[in-house]
């Protein structure tokens, strides 16, 4: 688990830097806000298609680390291309490089997480490992934007992109050092059939379907903020890199909230926790247009994080609880790819809108609507638990 946390943590830190770093880098080189949003979207969109395929393959391969490391090496290589292309080559080249980097993106989140049942011992160990993995996500999400903001402010946005490439290279090497127990000997259906079964399971298991729908739409709302926060930072009289500290404040809230509540989370059904936290974060986001200065915005970002804290742990727990082990890799990467795709759409929409207050309110409303739709999607009937050691 120590090697897992090291390799997954570095990989996720690099990934969490990408969104803000690309926005700041593109704005510095071109001043084109729409292109900045489009580059973030291009980086995240391909995972919508690649996630189910990669997950189905991950459920059966004996060498998952090849894909996990390959994803990081690909990110390192494409950062070199982006450094050379942004502001100097046609936009289609820049978007193509970002698209290429994003094809294996689900491996950074769902790919690593799907290994937890094989690395953990019994059900209690799995619960602890899941909580540690969620904290790792939050720590990376805290450190990524903050590190990007500091690098952009001190040494420039170019060096923030360089740092992503270095971290991705190190993460790939660490992933190759990880030792994962093999899958249990089971007969797998053909790959196309496995993809259909995984998607069908995700779509027809009510609590998993509802929780997934809520987190996907909720992550789309977060994508709206990708370009809005840097612009609001400048509106408040600060450099665009100050946006990193707003993201960091949100993640501090997430970490504090999760540390405070993680012992109590097993008392509630995970999908119910997802619905409550996403709705609460939407209500907190609605206060952002009222912030008169950066200090208040940081405080409101902390409030959003406090509301969001248990969301990630709960959606991971829902996947484990309602999914058989033979489909867990695919369900994990498919869920991750849908969230990433929604973030891409949000980033593109946010980049096209220039009224930051309207973007903040739209993000807040999307979170609330996401909760309502998730509740409706999960209300059809109750599916039995299909995971190891899960409560019904």
């Amino acid at each position: 688990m120590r090697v897992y946390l090291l390799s997954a943590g570095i990989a996720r830190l690099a990934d969490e830097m990408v969104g803000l770093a690309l926005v700041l880098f593109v704005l510095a080189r071109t001043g084109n806000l729409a292109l900045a949003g489009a580059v973030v979207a291009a980086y995240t969109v391909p995972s919508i298609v690649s996630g189910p395929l990669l997950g189905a393959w991950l459920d059966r391969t004996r060498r998952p680390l090849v894909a996990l490391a390959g994803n990081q090496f690909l990110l390192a290589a494409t950062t070199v291309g982006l450094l050379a292309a942004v502001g100097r080559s046609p936009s289609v080249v820049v978007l193509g490089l970002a698209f290429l980097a994003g094809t294996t993106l689900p491996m950074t989140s769902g790919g690593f997480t799907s290994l937890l049942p094989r690395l953990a011992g019994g059900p209690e160990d799995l619960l602890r490992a899941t909580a540690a993995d969620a904290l790792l996500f939050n720590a990376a999400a805290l450190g990524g934007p903050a590190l990007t903001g500091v690098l952009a402010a001190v040494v420039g946005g170019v060096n923030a992109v360089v740092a992503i490439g270095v971290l991705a290279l190190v993460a790939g090497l660490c992933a190759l050092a990880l030792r994962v127990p093999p899958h249990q000997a089971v007969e797998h259906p053909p790959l196309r059939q496995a993809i259909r079964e995984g998607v069908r399971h995700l779509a027809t298991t009510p609590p998993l379907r509802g929780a997934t729908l809520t987190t996907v739409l909720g992550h789309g709302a977060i994508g709206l903020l990708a370009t809005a926060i840097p612009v609001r930072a400048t509106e408040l009289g600060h450099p665009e890199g100050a946006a990193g500290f707003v993201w960091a404040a949100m993640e501090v809230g997430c970490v504090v909230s999760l540390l405070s509540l993680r012992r109590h989370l097993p008392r509630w059904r995970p999908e119910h926790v997802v619905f409550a936290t996403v709705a609460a974060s939407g209500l907190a986001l609605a206060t952002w247009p009222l912030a008169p200065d950066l200090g208040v915005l940081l405080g409101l970002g902390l409030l959003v994080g406090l509301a969001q804290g248990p969301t990630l742990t709960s959606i991971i727990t829902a996947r484990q609880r309602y999914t058989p082990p033979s489909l867990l890799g695919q369900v994990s990467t498919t869920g991750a790819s849908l969230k990433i795709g929604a973030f891409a759409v949000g980033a593109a929409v946010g980049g096209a809108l220039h009224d930051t207050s309207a973007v903040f309110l739209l993000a807040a409303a999307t979170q609330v609507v996401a909760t309502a739709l998730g509740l409706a999607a999960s209300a059809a009937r109750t599916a039995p638990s299909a995971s190891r050691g899960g409560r019904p």
Side-chain angles (χ1 to χ4, degrees), residues 10 15 25 56 190 198 200 218 222 228 238 247 264 283 329 340 354 361 363:
I10 297 174
D15 176 54
F25 179 47
R200 185 184 304 116
I222 299 301
H238 296 271
W247 289 107
H264 306 287
L283 295 176
I340 294 167
H354 298 282
L361 292 175

Side-chain angles (χ1 to χ4, degrees), residues 43-55 102-111 199 202 212 216 219 319 329-345:
Y43 175 65
T44 49
V45 158
S47 65
I48 300 174
V49 176
S50 65
L53 178 61
L54 290 171
T103 53
T104 57
L105 183 57
M107 287 296 179
T108 305
S109 50
V199 173
L202 188 62
T212 299
V216 166
H219 211 59
R319 292 169 186 163
Q330 186 189 347
V331 167
S332 295
T333 55
T334 300
S337 69
L338 290 172
K339 287 176 63 180
I340 294 167
F343 184 93
V345 174

Side-chain angles (χ1 to χ4, degrees), residues 94-125:
V94 176
L95 296 175
L97 286 169
F99 186 93
L100 178 62
T103 53
T104 57
L105 183 57
M107 287 296 179
T108 305
S109 50
F112 274 104
T113 298
S114 70
L115 301 180
L116 286 178
R118 295 160 66 180
L119 294 171
E124 292 299 323
D125 291 332

